Amino acid sequence: MNAIRSALLLTCSIVGMLAHAPAFAQDSSARTELKRVELSGAPGMEVISSIVEFKPGEDVPPHFHHGVEAAYVLQGAMLQTPGKAPSLIATGTAVMNLRDVVHGGAKVVGDTSFKLFTVHVVDKNKPLYDSPH
């Protein structure tokens, strides 16, 4: 009986912790969220910083954001868009993607991961990534 009681208490504790965890769960296994705050002076908007890493052979799926994405390439890599030759996205490159503009759609080729620091200024309570399909 004590074992059952202990298991129930543990389960309730875990559920309680999850209920108080931030509501912004990871929406991409490649992304590690660092910080999320409301954008002062702009109700309904938030700022999200993350590290994103795509390993060799992984796809950067086509997607768009409900706001602006700014990124800095921490580790450059070769990316290949279907039907095109691979191209190097160099370390130190700055990237800017505008609201609702589809980007991505490439595969990391070679033996180096593609790693970015991203900052999104997006609509609150909408998914960070959305598929164009």
Side-chain angles (χ1 to χ4, degrees), residues 8-125:
L8 284 172
L9 286 172
L10 178 62
T11 302
C12 288
S13 295
I14 291 170
V15 169
M17 285 187 290
L18 291 175
H20 291 93
F24 46 86
Q26 298 288 336
D27 45 39
S28 167
S29 61
R31 186 174 78 87
T32 302
E33 190 165 304
L34 302 173
K35 185 92 172 170
R36 181 181 294 235
V37 297
E38 289 186 24
L39 181 60
S40 60
M45 299 292 292
E46 61 187 347
V47 180
I48 305 164
S49 63
S50 306
I51 300 291
V52 183
E53 181 175 1
F54 295 97
K55 294 179 173 44
E58 291 183 339
D59 290 317
V60 179
H63 63 281
F64 64 92
H65 308 282
H66 301 282
V68 176
E69 173 188 42
Y72 178 81
V73 178
L74 297 172
Q75 181 174 302
M78 296 294 288
L79 288 132
Q80 186 170 19
T81 304
K84 296 188 178 180
S87 61
L88 174 66
I89 308 299
T91 299
T93 300
V95 178
M96 186 75 69
N97 292 303
L98 300 178
R99 174 184 287 275
D100 300 327
V101 174
V102 176
H103 54 280
K107 180 182 225 97
V108 179
V109 296
D111 57 359
T112 304
S113 290
F114 182 52
K115 194 170 186 178
L116 303 156
F117 171 72
T118 63
V119 176
H120 295 88
V121 180
V122 292
D123 297 334
K124 192 173 180 179
N125 299 322

